[in-house]
Amino acid sequence: MARMKFICDAERCIECNGCVTACKNEHEVPWGVNRRRVVTLNDGVPGEKSISVACMHCSDAPCMAVCPVNCFYKTDEGVVLHDKDVCIGCGYCSYACPFGAPQFPSQGTFGVRGKMDKCTFCAGGPEEHGSQAEFDKYGRNRLAEGKLPACAEMCSTKALLAGDGDVVSDIFRQRVVQRGKGAEVWGWGTAYGTATKQGA
């Protein structure tokens, strides 16, 4: 069974926010909630990089671990979803998530800000696939239609990749090899310094 994953190629992202707009439009996401956002590192500095960030559907998701009512569950494809009928809006998941994926429709204290909302990898929710109840709570179930998430399909530079984790990683690996960067794409030089010749 395929494990669905996202990856954003920072060398290709142009900070157009097409992925953000596609997500909000496809799922009619409530005002104030962004299931996906574009983050720019070193904004305004030469060499700045942008990446599209959302729920990464972690293999060992911290949101699942801290939820006191176990509203999170994982599909056979590895997509981390939640049940809004079980969620109590405590916010523990938003504190545990390193990507800031869980969002709430309004500000306030426990029980006042509403049910948590997050990226569903366009996989809907626990309701019947394609039902109006599923769309109203979670948005369109594109995976059940045999499609990829709207954000990845709308990415004009194909910086945002989504799908089977093995296929996505192969595509990214080929890009890295073609660029000729090797291990530097993972920050080896930043972490350990550049290699110098011995005795030079």
Side-chain angles (χ1 to χ4, degrees), residues 181-197:
K181 287 192 172 183
E184 182 51 36
V185 77
W186 307 112
W188 187 271
T190 303
Y192 301 104
T194 54
T196 58
K197 292 183 180 179

Side-chain angles (χ1 to χ4, degrees), residues 17-27 150-151 154:
N17 283 288
C19 54
V20 176
T21 304
C23 178
K24 286 188 88 64
N25 184 56
E26 186 77 11
H27 304 297
C151 56
M154 293 303 290

Side-chain angles (χ1 to χ4, degrees), residues 39-79:
V39 176
T40 302
L41 308 170
N42 298 323
D43 198 9
V45 177
E48 72 179 23
K49 303 281 185 208
S50 295
I51 55 171
S52 180
V53 181
C55 176
M56 298 304 283
H57 303 280
C58 305
S59 299
D60 187 18
C63 57
M64 290 179 77
V66 300
C67 181
V69 293
N70 295 321
C71 77
F72 290 93
Y73 63 99
K74 194 177 291 193
T75 67
D76 292 338
E77 295 90 14
V79 178

Side-chain angles (χ1 to χ4, degrees), residues 112-178:
V112 183
R113 55 182 157 195
K115 307 289 186 176
M116 183 273 294
D117 192 82
K118 73 172 207 60
C119 166
T120 62
F121 207 90
C122 289
E127 277 78 13
E128 181 182 346
H129 293 320
S131 68
Q132 188 61 40
E134 181 184 52
F135 180 81
D136 290 343
K137 290 182 187 175
Y138 307 99
R140 189 164 155 210
N141 189 338
R142 293 175 57 92
L143 287 189
E145 298 171 8
K147 299 176 181 177
L148 289 174
C151 56
E153 283 195 355
M154 293 303 290
C155 182
S156 59
T157 62
K158 299 303 173 206
L160 183 59
L161 301 172
D164 182 345
D166 293 333
V167 174
V168 167
S169 64
D170 284 343
I171 293 169
F172 189 67
R173 190 176 300 112
Q174 289 172 359
R175 290 180 182 179
V176 170
V177 169
Q178 288 175 347

